[in-house]
Amino acid sequence: MRRTSARPLTMTVIAAAMGVMAAAGMAAPASAAEAAQTDRTNVSAEFETVTTWVQGNVRIGPSTGYRIAYTVAANQNLTAVCWLEGGTVSANGYTHNKWVYLADDRYIWGGLLKGNEVGNVSSHCW
């Protein structure tokens, strides 16, 4: 069930994640507006490692309509938080709308990851 008053919780989670990222030496999002682009009210405290099987783009939102944040190589490990439905992509013989939300507040299409269509990430973002 989707919460109708998720924005305050989302901002709290984003602020907490930014603190964890800063403590780990990771770059924080450029702005709070960029960090809050997509409503993610269920961001698990348990991160999972996903691995790319081909080179691909990591984006600032969960569809190809969002700008590319950076490109990753094949066999690169990334830290995942959860997965969600986004824009449908057809590439590398796969078509689906599953995206993985990464710990650096970016998104990668699950078809670029080893494992199932969400890179074996267990938590669904909601």
Side-chain angles (χ1 to χ4, degrees):
M1 174 180 265
R2 188 171 207 60
R3 301 172 95 167
T4 56
S5 61
R7 185 62 58 201
L9 178 58
T10 298
M11 294 308 291
T12 301
V13 170
I14 289 169
M18 289 171 67
V20 169
M21 290 169 62
M26 299 168 64
S31 69
E34 186 173 287
Q37 279 185 331
T38 303
D39 182 17
R40 296 169 306 276
T41 58
N42 177 34
V43 278
S44 171
E46 306 256 342
F47 295 151
E48 299 179 61
T49 299
V50 294
T51 305
T52 57
W53 69 276
V54 294
Q55 177 179 319
N57 296 321
V58 174
R59 297 181 178 272
I60 66 166
S63 85
T64 57
Y66 288 93
R67 75 173 172 79
I68 297 168
Y70 54 90
T71 300
V72 291
N75 296 308
Q76 184 167 338
N77 290 331
L78 303 167
T79 303
V81 178
C82 54
W83 66 271
L84 66 156
E85 291 82 7
T88 300
V89 177
S90 293
N92 307 318
Y94 298 96
T95 300
H96 63 76
N97 69 341
K98 306 298 188 292
W99 291 77
V100 174
Y101 173 57
L102 302 173
D104 66 355
D105 197 43
R106 303 295 186 241
Y107 299 82
I108 188 166
W109 178 60
L112 301 174
L113 302 173
K114 293 180 179 181
N116 63 14
E117 62 186 12
V118 295
N120 295 331
V121 174
S122 58
S123 296
H124 187 274
C125 308
W126 45 267

